[in-house]
């Protein structure tokens, strides 16, 4: 809805404030002039400096209407109360507008054309306006709704503006137990919700543990870039925990090398844990054990996550699979440690598989119950479906951002074409070979209840799920979501 303009002060308060301000300014100017060595014979620069000093005194005196400024208040009680109330209301209004995780619908545009008359889109002025991180984006190939055989499998798709896919960290397993800072909040054209860029910290206290459990014994690699005949060939011995003697010998060699070359321990640690492997006929340099690495490169420390509501720029977040974390929007932990009644999103179906549920704009789920003996958690989805999920599955605190996405009005067909959607063709407008409703002389109603091109009913909540799945003993769904048919019957 449109926000009304907040008046600064009432008219009588403005009149009294102006008269008071002019009186005070004249007094400061007179005091500054009296402080000089007489008023006669003053130059223009002296007069200007006197006025400047008076203006400085006035600005210090007023203090931007701040009550905490030193000195007694010179305003009357009604003026001061009006100023304070208006400023508080203005501050609350601005805070409501500026929240980047819940951008409002933009105001109505001037109807210079029929397409501009009804269009109402999300106001993205409060989001980051620059380009995404280059190493976190990838090319998104276009299919036009066709599969690898060239057949249309997704109708009404094609065209649109070229997009680049933002690589989102849904499973949050890349950097467990490592705190990060929210750098910015961005718009993602590939999803309805917003995304947040996280910058993770270095962990120097992990140095000894990292050296102990990631020590590898690498044999000599061939200098050629030709791939070996055996695709499973590897010159890397699988990771193992070395003995104390091997650790001591390695640390002595490392300290001697550091003493000779003068390299820092941080640089040495970052160089130590790269190795070569064969991939698709190429010899690649790969880094191992990145999750517990004490130091990260500048590119490695950045990741995109789904942005929850009320997430602030500069906020600290963390994820963990082994213990509880603070109940702050953006933090991730297993359902085992989430309190009952908490609102969550980006929930996993299977432990370690990444979040699959509640990822659209404004969606969330509620934790209803925990069954520790069965290792299950009962969730209530936003669609009113109730289902079980494993307690070891990760979930993120809060709701997904951009809740006003559902209230957008695109206004014209061209906006949808730019999004990659093509026109929908009615079945009654087709030929009988193309659709069950096609054919007939003149305008017809199809001659049967509405069905899909393959003959299945498509209205009144017709169930397409196999009934045997719901009766299976391992079915995790306790209560199915209601449909239009069941809601009408109730």
């Amino acid at each position: 809805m449109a926000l009304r303009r907040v008046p600064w002060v009432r008219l009588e308060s403005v009149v009294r404030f102006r008269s008071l301000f002019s009186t005070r300014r004249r007094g400061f100017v007179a005091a500054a002039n009296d402080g000089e060595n007489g008023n006669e014979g003053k130059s223009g620069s002296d007069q200007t400096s006197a006025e400047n000093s008076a203006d400085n005194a006035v600005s210090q005196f007023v203090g931007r209407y701040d009550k905490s400024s030193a000195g007694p208040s010179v305003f009357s009680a009604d003026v001061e109360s009006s100023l304070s109330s208006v400023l508080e209301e203005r501050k609350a209004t601005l805070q409501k507008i500026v929240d980047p995780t819940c951008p409002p619908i933009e105001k109505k545009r001037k109807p210079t054309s029929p397409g501009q008359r009804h269009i109402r889109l999300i106001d993205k002025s409060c989001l980051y306006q620059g380009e995404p991180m280059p190493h976190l984006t990838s090319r998104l190939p276009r299919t036009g709704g066709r599969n690898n055989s060239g057949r249309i499998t997704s109708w009404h798709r094609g065209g649109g503006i070229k997009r680049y896919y933002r690589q989102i960290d849904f499973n949050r397993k890349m950097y467990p137990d490592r705190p990060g800072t929210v750098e910015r909040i961005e718009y993602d054209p590939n999803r309805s919700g917003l995304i947040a860029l996280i910058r993770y910290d270095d962990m120097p206290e992990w140095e000894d543990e990292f050296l102990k459990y990631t020590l590898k014994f690498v044999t000599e690699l061939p200098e050629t870039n030709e791939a070996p005949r055996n695709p499973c060939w590897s010159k890397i011995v699988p990771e193992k925990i070395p003995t104390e003697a091997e650790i001591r010998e390695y640390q002595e060699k490392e300290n001697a090398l550091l003493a000779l070359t003068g390299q820092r321990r941080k640089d040495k640690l970052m160089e130590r844990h790269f190795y070569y492997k064969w991939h698709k006929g190429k010899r690649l340099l790969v880094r191992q054990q990145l999750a517990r690495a004490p130091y990260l490169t500048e590119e490695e420390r950045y990741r995109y996550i789904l942005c929850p509501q009320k997430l602030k720029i500069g906020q600290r977040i963390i994820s963990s699979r082994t213990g509880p974390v603070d109940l702050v929007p953006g933090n991730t932990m297993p359902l085992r440690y989430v309190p009952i009644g908490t609102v969550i999103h980006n929930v996993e179906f299977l432990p370690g598989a990444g979040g699959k549920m509640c990822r659209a704009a404004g969606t969330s789920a509620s934790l209803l119950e925990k069954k520790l003996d069965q290792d299950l958690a009962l969730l209530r989805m936003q669609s009113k479906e109730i289902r079980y999920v494993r307690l070891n599955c990760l979930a993120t605190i809060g709701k997904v951002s951009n809740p006003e996405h559902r209230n957008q009005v695109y206004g014209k067909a061209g906006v949808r074409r730019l999004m990659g959607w093509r026109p929908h063709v009615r079945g009654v407008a087709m030929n009988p070979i193309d659709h069950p409703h096609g054919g007939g002389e003149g305008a017809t109603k199809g001659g049967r209840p509405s069905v899909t091109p393959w003959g299945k009913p498509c209205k009144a909540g017709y169930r397409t799920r196999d009934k045997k799945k719901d009766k299976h003993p391992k079915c995790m769904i306790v209560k199915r979501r209601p449909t239009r048919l069941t809601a009408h019957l109730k």
Side-chain angles (χ1 to χ4, degrees), residues 465-477:
R465 179 183 171 90
D466 189 1
K467 296 181 180 180
K468 296 181 181 179
K469 292 183 179 180
D470 291 336
K471 297 180 180 180
H472 196 275
K474 293 186 178 180
C475 180
M476 306 289 277
I477 299 177

Side-chain angles (χ1 to χ4, degrees), residues 189-259:
N190 303 296
R191 63 192 73 254
S192 57
L194 305 176
I195 58 176
L197 181 65
I198 309 299
R199 187 181 190 275
Y200 289 96
D201 302 340
D202 287 332
M203 304 295 290
E205 57 270 21
W206 291 354
E207 286 184 0
D208 297 335
E209 179 186 0
F210 185 69
L211 280 175
K212 182 177 179 180
Y213 290 100
T214 61
L215 187 62
K216 292 181 181 295
F217 302 92
V218 184
T219 59
E220 293 296 331
L221 292 171
E223 295 298 332
T224 178
N225 287 330
E226 296 180 0
R229 294 181 180 178
N230 185 3
C232 299
W233 174 87
S234 176
K235 287 289 186 178
I236 310 275
V237 179
E239 182 180 350
K240 64 179 181 178
I241 300 177
T243 62
E244 294 293 336
E246 292 173 339
I247 294 176
R248 196 179 308 109
E249 181 182 0
Y250 170 74
Q251 290 178 348
E252 291 177 357
K253 292 181 179 179
E254 183 190 37
N255 294 333
L257 180 62
L258 292 176

Side-chain angles (χ1 to χ4, degrees), residues 118-242:
H118 302 291
I119 187 170
R120 301 290 299 279
L121 300 179
I122 292 293
D123 186 8
K124 303 182 183 67
S125 59
C126 56
L127 304 178
Y128 178 71
Q129 303 296 323
E131 298 291 331
M133 296 294 286
H135 67 281
L136 295 179
T137 58
S138 59
R139 180 177 173 272
L140 190 63
R142 301 196 181 190
T143 62
R146 274 77 172 171
N147 60 2
N148 57 352
S149 301
R151 299 177 181 270
I152 296 178
T153 56
S154 181
W155 287 24
H156 319 124
R157 300 309 303 263
I161 298 177
K162 182 187 294 184
R163 294 182 259 183
Y164 285 91
Y165 181 74
R166 279 75 166 170
Q167 299 171 8
I168 312 297
D169 188 8
F170 289 112
N171 48 24
R172 304 288 287 273
K173 68 179 181 180
M174 183 62 73
Y175 301 121
D177 303 319
R178 184 190 296 268
T181 306
V182 180
E183 290 288 319
R184 62 198 189 205
I185 298 174
E186 301 181 11
Y187 167 76
D188 188 357
N190 303 296
R191 63 192 73 254
S192 57
L194 305 176
I195 58 176
L197 181 65
I198 309 299
R199 187 181 190 275
Y200 289 96
D201 302 340
D202 287 332
M203 304 295 290
E205 57 270 21
W206 291 354
E207 286 184 0
D208 297 335
E209 179 186 0
F210 185 69
L211 280 175
K212 182 177 179 180
Y213 290 100
T214 61
L215 187 62
K216 292 181 181 295
F217 302 92
V218 184
T219 59
E220 293 296 331
L221 292 171
E223 295 298 332
T224 178
N225 287 330
E226 296 180 0
R229 294 181 180 178
N230 185 3
C232 299
W233 174 87
S234 176
K235 287 289 186 178
I236 310 275
V237 179
E239 182 180 350
K240 64 179 181 178
I241 300 177

